[in-house]
Amino acid sequence: MQSSVGAGFSEIARRSGLSTMARKVEPRDVTRYVARQILNETGQLSEVARRLGLSSLDQAADLADLQWNTPRRGDAT
């Protein structure tokens, strides 16, 4: 079933012009786009995680292409 969903997505992306020979679009690209939109709209990484059903803020930051580091104990800020 997963294979047919993937093939269906690829067909839709190709027919819509999103996916070309030079640029392949995958389902994860759509999730990344939605994550960035949520972050832009709300400014809250926790909202990205909540809406996408993610269990960690690190996953949300990765999907939203947000580069973040928290200082480790003993590190100078």
Side-chain angles (χ1 to χ4, degrees):
M1 182 183 266
Q2 184 177 9
S3 175
S4 60
V5 170
F9 177 85
S10 295
E11 181 68 13
I12 291 168
R14 186 185 62 74
R15 287 186 181 195
S16 68
L18 293 173
S19 188
T20 65
M21 294 296 282
R23 179 188 62 202
K24 185 177 180 187
V25 175
E26 298 176 346
R28 186 169 176 95
D29 297 325
V30 175
T31 306
R32 287 183 179 281
Y33 173 80
V34 171
R36 286 190 300 271
Q37 289 300 109
I38 294 168
L39 186 60
N40 287 338
E41 290 172 11
T42 67
Q44 298 293 317
L45 198 53
S46 60
E47 190 63 14
V48 174
R50 186 186 73 77
R51 290 190 194 179
L52 295 179
L54 304 172
S55 60
S56 79
L57 294 179
D58 288 329
Q59 290 174 323
D62 180 51
L63 283 174
D65 289 330
L66 179 65
Q67 301 298 318
W68 72 325
N69 284 324
T70 54
R72 295 180 189 155
R73 253 186 246 189
D75 285 353
T77 55

